[in-house]
Amino acid sequence: MGDTGRSTRRTAASWATLCGLLPLLTVLGCSAQGADEPPHDGLPPVTVTELHDPADIRQPLNEYILTERQSQLMLAAEQRLRTDCARRFGLEWEPPPVNLDVPDTFRYGADAYVRYDEAAARRHGYHPAPAAAGGSTAAAGGSADGAATADEDGTGSRMSPQLRTVLTGRGSGTVAGRKVPVGGCVEEARRALREHSDPRWDENYPNGLAVNLQREIDEDPRVVRVRAEWSACMGRAGFDYGSPRDAWADPRWETATASAEEKAVAVAEVRCGRQTRLAETLAAVERAYQEGVVDDKSQELAEYARGKEAVMRRVAELLGQ
């Protein structure tokens, strides 16, 4: 597994670090009875409810974040525009493949806050299950914005200097006697996709709001308390970790297969998470903070939602949907 395994585990750890980031989670499956956390001056009130499946958690900012399918459709539309732009210069660009076979939802995995599947922990530890180890749609997309890397096209072949200049806008200002658009075809496509909305519309705006809350959430005394309880539980099991992310990121797991100790730590994480209601508390605190920011940014989020609707209409036009 080598580097692929390490990358997959680090991705899981980073998603956990960003739990407030794109939380797709809904506190569903809640029992009728919720436990109110003791009030804390200046902090949002929190009710911790029973959680049957962390994959069902949904947070307030999820109403605004692009779904997996919307993200891929946007990428497909931008790639079509980039390809058309390159052809104006007599150049052919084969973009990286886009995976549209994804759900029209945006969800965290079940282990977003803390590992939840004891059977999987016992079998695989912190390594991905074999079916999940073969790569991801993100890996197929080239760079973060879906453009090919600076030196390769979507097929992995070396990119000509002319094509690189046309796509990125870096280098000569003209190619084949034509002026290269500002920012290259990548930025031209981005602008064209937003031509019926505010050109400043940023699909990552609600994600950024969630990220900016993470420090407050981590420092909230209710989160500090429950993580300390989880850590103490792990200590009683013979393991010294301050948080689940510390356990996930243990460099000893940088191996081809999960060791017996790795599996034991992962199982203990699951059990301690259940005993301390770690996921329930983190989800509830995160929800409280997100509700506050949704109220504070209601006008900005309404403008974002209108821009999102306009962009997705443009995407549908470009893709003939």
Side-chain angles (χ1 to χ4, degrees):
M1 184 167 61
D3 290 340
T4 299
R6 287 194 291 274
S7 175
T8 306
R9 290 196 298 282
R10 284 172 181 152
T11 299
S14 62
W15 274 70
T17 303
L18 305 175
C19 304
L21 200 138
L22 321 167
L24 291 215
L25 313 144
T26 290
V27 187
L28 285 183
C30 303
S31 64
Q33 298 180 347
D36 289 331
E37 280 280 332
H40 293 264
D41 291 343
L43 296 177
V46 165
T47 298
V48 180
T49 54
E50 184 178 354
L51 180 61
H52 295 297
D53 184 354
D56 289 333
I57 298 173
R58 189 168 185 83
Q59 302 290 31
L61 285 170
N62 298 146
E63 299 302 318
Y64 302 93
I65 293 171
L66 292 171
T67 68
E68 292 180 69
R69 182 167 175 78
Q70 286 173 332
S71 294
Q72 292 299 300
L73 287 169
M74 277 188 63
L75 178 55
E78 287 195 359
Q79 288 189 345
R80 178 168 296 184
L81 290 167
R82 294 167 187 167
T83 301
D84 292 344
C85 172
R87 284 175 179 157
R88 295 203 312 266
F89 295 84
L91 300 170
E92 289 295 326
W93 175 57
E94 184 175 347
V98 174
N99 180 17
L100 297 180
D101 187 23
V102 291
D104 198 18
T105 58
F106 196 96
R107 300 164 64 89
Y108 269 136
D111 297 337
Y113 294 108
V114 63
R115 289 188 71 82
Y116 214 76
D117 186 339
E118 184 170 336
R122 187 178 297 110
R123 288 193 301 270
H124 309 297
Y126 292 105
H127 283 64
S136 67
T137 58
S143 64
D145 68 353
T149 62
D151 294 312
E152 295 182 352
D153 64 14
T155 67
S157 303
R158 298 290 292 182
M159 185 184 294
S160 70
Q162 293 84 1
L163 180 57
R164 183 165 59 250
T165 294
V166 164
L167 286 176
T168 66
R170 295 192 290 269
S172 174
T174 61
V175 171
R178 283 180 170 271
K179 183 177 175 60
V180 176
V182 176
C185 292
V186 169
E187 285 303 312
E188 180 183 273
R190 181 178 174 83
R191 291 190 295 270
L193 203 59
R194 291 156 175 77
E195 66 182 9
H196 299 313
S197 64
D198 187 331
R200 298 169 299 175
W201 182 82
D202 179 6
E203 63 268 32
N204 295 313
Y205 176 66
N207 305 53
L209 292 177
V211 172
N212 291 339
L213 290 173
Q214 196 58 47
R215 174 173 289 185
E216 288 183 85
I217 293 170
D218 284 341
E219 295 176 353
D220 187 288
R222 295 158 295 196
V223 169
V224 172
R225 173 187 57 76
V226 75
R227 282 190 174 141
E229 292 173 354
W230 178 90
S231 181
C233 175
M234 292 292 285
R236 290 190 293 273
F239 307 113
D240 183 18
Y241 294 103
S243 70
R245 68 187 65 160
D246 294 335
W248 299 339
D250 192 322
R252 292 178 299 166
W253 316 151
E254 303 288 342
T255 55
T257 58
S259 65
E261 184 177 12
E262 177 184 335
K263 295 175 183 178
V265 170
V267 168
E269 180 194 334
V270 173
R271 293 176 178 175
C272 288
R274 288 176 178 164
Q275 290 177 25
T276 60
R277 304 183 78 200
L278 178 61
E280 289 89 338
T281 303
L282 291 179
V285 172
E286 182 176 73
R287 169 170 284 275
Y289 278 90
Q290 287 200 14
E291 286 173 344
V293 80
V294 166
D295 286 342
D296 291 343
K297 301 290 186 180
S298 58
Q299 181 175 341
E300 292 89 341
L301 285 167
E303 292 173 357
Y304 167 87
R306 288 192 290 271
K308 175 182 173 182
E309 183 178 358
V311 168
M312 295 314 299
R313 280 200 304 268
R314 177 69 172 138
V315 166
E317 291 171 3
L318 287 167
L319 299 181
Q321 296 185 347

